[in-house]
């Protein structure tokens, strides 16, 4: 076993015993890990009440060489991400960020850029920034970083450039936009406005800052949310648990 230190987001906590927890964390240095926190439910001790969902903390753990759980020995809280007031939509969006990190990443597969994106997104949601915009930005940039971003400029089948005017065919099961010829006969194809595709292109640009100025009208909000929901459901093979609450993410 080796002693490791990392900065981590708490994604999930499951009771192991009256005093202990099994914790899933997404770390900047090592990616996703699962560890046993003995005494993690005690108010005082080496974890100092740091192991709460969406908490950012500095951890020390013993990395096991087998498939057994790592042993979490210390956690120091750096920040809790909680929206001010009673803004449930921001809170649900934060839980959704944690769910996607848990479901779309592998054990010990580090993505520092994704970690930084998640922390920045949670901070923005806690500060009252627009929920739909920041949630969609996180989803699309996460897909980009992990190599799952749908094709948004060229036909996913033949590679030809797709004209972004009027309505555009988006193949949920095929991985992106389709030209008119390749769209024929295919199932699970949605008709998406060209404006929504352009919004997705802008939100997916990792180094862009202009996405913050995007103004999404009410009709486009629902369409954008629908496209992302269906695409992620297909990618995961099931509907994310937090999708039932994403009807609130329209502002």
């Amino acid at each position: 076993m080796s002693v490791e230190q990392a900065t981590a987001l708490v994604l999930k906590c499951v009771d192991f015993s009256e005093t202990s927890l099994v914790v899933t964390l997404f770390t900047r240095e090592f990616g996703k890990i699962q560890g046993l926190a003995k005494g993690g439910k005690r108010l005082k001790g080496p974890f100092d009440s740091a192991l709460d969902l969406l908490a950012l903390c500095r951890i020390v753990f013993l990395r096991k060489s087998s498939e057994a759980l790592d042993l979490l020995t210390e956690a120091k809280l750096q920040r809790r991400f909680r929206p001010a007031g009673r803004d449930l939509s921001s809170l649900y969006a934060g839980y959704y960020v944690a769910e996607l990190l848990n479901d779309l990443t592998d054990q010990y597969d580090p993505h520092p850029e994704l970690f930084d994106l998640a922390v920045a997104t949670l901070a923005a949601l806690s500060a009252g920034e627009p929920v739909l915009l920041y949630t969609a930005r996180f989803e699309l940039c996460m897909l980009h970083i992990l190599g799952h971003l749908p094709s948004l400029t060229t036909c996913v089948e033949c590679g030809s450039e797709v004209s972004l005017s009027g309505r555009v065919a988006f193949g949920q099961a095929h991985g992106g936009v389709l030209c008119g010829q390749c769209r024929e006969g295919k199932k699970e194809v949605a008709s998406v406005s060209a404006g929504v595709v352009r919004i997705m292109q802008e939100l997916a640009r990792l180094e862009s800052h202009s996405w913050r100025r995007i103004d999404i009208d009410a009709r486009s909000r629902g369409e954008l949310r629908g496209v992302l929901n269906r695409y992620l459901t297909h990618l995961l093979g099931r509907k994310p648990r937090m999708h039932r609450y994403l009807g609130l993410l329209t502002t």
Side-chain angles (χ1 to χ4, degrees), residues 94-232:
Y95 290 161
Y96 182 51
V97 167
E99 181 179 5
L100 290 182
L101 287 171
N102 190 27
D103 291 347
L104 284 174
T105 61
D106 296 321
Q107 297 265 34
Y108 283 102
D109 183 19
H111 292 280
E113 189 174 18
L114 178 57
F115 180 90
D116 294 343
L117 172 68
V119 170
T121 301
L122 292 171
L125 292 170
S126 295
E129 295 291 351
V131 177
L132 176 80
L133 181 65
Y134 277 79
T135 303
R137 164 73 174 177
F138 176 78
E139 289 169 297
L140 286 159
C141 284
M142 181 180 193
L143 292 171
H144 192 164
I145 292 168
L146 297 178
H148 298 306
L149 184 69
S151 178
L152 298 171
T153 57
T154 59
C155 176
V156 72
E157 290 288 321
C158 69
S160 63
E161 186 173 351
V162 175
S163 175
L164 294 184
S165 61
R167 308 293 296 181
V168 180
F170 188 93
Q172 307 290 347
H174 308 285
V177 295
L178 295 160
C179 67
Q181 184 175 354
C182 293
R183 189 258 179 271
E184 294 298 324
K186 288 186 170 56
K187 298 179 180 179
E188 296 186 58
V189 177
S191 176
V192 183
S193 71
V196 166
V197 176
R198 283 193 287 269
I199 289 171
M200 292 172 69
Q201 289 176 347
E202 184 62 34
L203 291 175
R205 293 191 177 101
L206 297 176
E207 303 302 323
S208 170
H209 297 286
S210 60
W211 63 270
R212 292 186 177 89
R213 298 191 295 272
I214 295 176
D215 183 18
I216 309 176
D217 60 57
R219 182 174 181 178
S220 295
R221 290 171 193 164
E223 194 170 2
L224 174 62
R225 192 64 263 152
V227 171
L228 289 172
N229 283 0
R230 288 190 295 270
Y231 183 75
L232 283 160

Side-chain angles (χ1 to χ4, degrees), residues 87-93 96 131-133 135 139 218 221-226 228-229 239-251:
D87 188 357
L88 287 179
S89 62
S90 294
L91 182 61
Y92 291 153
Y96 182 51
V131 177
L132 176 80
L133 181 65
T135 303
E139 289 169 297
R221 290 171 193 164
E223 194 170 2
L224 174 62
R225 192 64 263 152
L228 289 172
N229 283 0
K239 188 176 182 178
R241 291 181 297 276
M242 290 307 299
H243 270 188
R244 72 181 66 181
Y245 302 105
L246 294 189
L248 296 172
L249 306 188
T250 56
T251 59

